[in-house]
Amino acid sequence: MTRIIRNLAEIGGDYSVLFCDLWGCVHNGKMAYPAAIAALQAYRAKGGKVALVTNAPRPRSLVADQIARLGVPDDAWDDIVTSGDAAQDAMFAGRVGSRVWHIGPERDMGFFTETEDPRAGDIIRVPLEEAEGVVVTGPYDDRTETPEHYRERLAAARARNLPLLCVNPDLVVDFGEQRLYCAGALAQLYEEMGGEALYFGKPHAPIYDLARRHMGVGKDVPALAIGDGIGTDILGAVNQGIDSLFVTGGLAAEHMGEDVESPEAHRLEAWLSEQRISPTYAIGRLR
C-alpha cells in the first residue's frame, strides 16, 4: 500500500538526496508553488541535497533561467539535471548521425547551441529528405498541435528507417490549466509505426546516472524521487530501486477526488492498481 503523507518533512530525514521533478511539482509552467519551494528549502536547511531532475529538452543553464523567472529561488536546489543534457551527449556521440531533422519550437534551439562540447560543430540541421536521423524536442506549436499533425512526416522518416532521438520522454504536461503534448508523444507514435526511438530522460537510466555524478553520490546513498508522472518519475524510481513520492495533484489530479491537496485513499489505490505501479508515498501537492 502506498502511504499518503501530508508533507515532505514526515519522511525527508530518511533520505540524503532528492531527485525532484519540476513541472507539476515545483511549478506549473506559469508560476512556482510557494509550498513546494518552502518544503525544499526546509529539507536543504537540514543538510539534504536537492537535484531538480527534469525531462525538459533544454540544457541546464536555460532551465535555471526559466525557473528563476517563474520564482524558484536558488536556495531551493543544489543542481539541475535535464533530459536535454543527457540526450545532448548522445547526439554529439553520433547516435542519430550528424545530419539531423529537428522537430521542435524555436525556444529549444539551445539544445544544439548551449554547449562547450567541441563535437557540437559536427551536428548539422537539415530537411527531412537529407537527414540521417530525427531529433524531437517537442511539437513546433505545442499550444495547437497533436501527434497526428506529424503522422505523415514521421511515416516518411520511418520509410527510411531513421532513428529518432526523443529529447523529452514526457507525453503531456499541464501549462496552467491547458494540457500540452511533449516530444514523448511524437516518439510514441513513431514507435507505433515501427520506428526506433532513443530515450535518455526519465524513466531511463542515463538521466539518473548523470544526476548522481552531478551530486557526487553513489547508488548506495538513500535517495527519494519526487514527481507527478507515474510513467516517468515513478517508473524511473522503481527501475532505479529507490523510494518515490507521487505528487497526485499534478497530471493525475482528476482521478484523486475533489480536493487536489488531499487524495482519497481508495481512489488512489484503484488508479495505481490500473497503472500497475506502487509509489512508496503519495502527497496531494509537494509541501
Side-chain angles (χ1 to χ4, degrees):
M1 294 285 288
T2 296
R3 174 185 163 191
I4 298 175
I5 63 171
R6 293 293 302 170
N7 54 67
L8 178 63
E10 290 182 39
I11 59 171
D14 296 334
Y15 303 97
S16 300
V17 61
L18 303 182
F19 296 146
C20 186
D21 185 38
L22 272 171
W23 210 311
C25 297
V26 179
H27 69 76
N28 67 356
K30 294 185 175 182
M31 63 179 185
Y33 295 136
I37 298 302
L40 295 178
Q41 289 170 325
Y43 175 81
R44 292 186 70 244
K46 294 182 178 180
K49 294 183 177 181
V50 175
L52 300 177
V53 182
T54 170
N55 273 347
R58 293 173 291 281
R60 174 194 186 281
S61 59
L62 297 183
V63 173
D65 291 342
Q66 177 197 28
I67 64 174
R69 292 193 299 270
L70 295 177
V72 180
D74 292 348
D75 65 351
W77 52 274
D78 293 278
D79 211 332
I80 301 172
V81 181
T82 78
S83 181
D85 291 327
Q88 193 180 61
D89 184 65
M91 180 178 67
F92 293 155
R95 294 291 297 273
V96 291
S98 61
R99 299 171 65 83
V100 301
W101 175 49
H102 174 225
I103 303 175
E106 188 67 27
R107 67 175 181 272
D108 291 344
M109 286 300 105
F111 177 71
F112 297 92
T113 61
E114 289 294 317
T115 179
E116 297 180 358
D117 195 309
R119 299 173 296 173
D122 298 333
I123 304 300
I124 304 172
R125 287 182 290 118
V126 298
L128 172 58
E129 295 74 19
E130 303 173 18
E132 300 170 328
V134 182
V135 173
V136 182
T137 58
Y140 291 120
D141 184 356
D142 56 11
R143 303 292 183 91
T144 62
E145 292 181 331
T146 73
E148 285 301 315
H149 285 89
Y150 294 85
R151 181 176 290 276
E152 184 175 344
R153 283 167 288 179
L154 290 176
R158 171 65 186 91
R160 296 176 53 209
N161 291 317
L162 300 184
L164 182 150
L165 175 62
C166 178
V167 184
N168 175 1
D170 287 350
L171 300 177
V172 295
V173 69
D174 288 334
F175 182 70
E177 299 300 318
Q178 183 181 10
R179 182 152 293 185
L180 310 177
Y181 284 100
C182 300
L186 276 65
Q188 183 182 70
L189 175 59
Y190 195 61
E191 288 184 307
E192 291 171 0
M193 294 177 171
E196 177 191 15
L198 307 175
Y199 301 91
F200 297 87
K202 297 176 289 185
H204 305 278
I207 195 169
Y208 296 96
D209 295 338
L210 186 60
R212 289 188 179 96
R213 292 200 300 272
H214 275 223
M215 301 301 286
V217 300
K219 291 187 176 182
D220 58 328
V221 172
L224 178 71
I226 303 174
D228 69 323
I230 197 71
T232 50
D233 305 303
I234 306 306
L235 178 59
V238 171
N239 291 343
Q240 291 293 307
I242 62 178
D243 289 352
S244 59
L245 173 58
F246 179 43
V247 178
T248 66
L251 292 171
E254 63 184 290
H255 304 285
M256 303 300 161
E258 295 183 2
D259 184 359
V260 70
E261 298 285 348
S262 302
E264 297 177 17
H266 69 284
R267 291 179 181 269
L268 172 64
E269 289 303 323
W271 189 79
L272 290 176
S273 178
E274 293 176 359
Q275 308 305 310
R276 298 184 179 181
I277 299 178
S278 295
T280 314
Y281 307 102
I283 192 170
R285 289 271 176 83
L286 181 60
R287 55 180 176 263

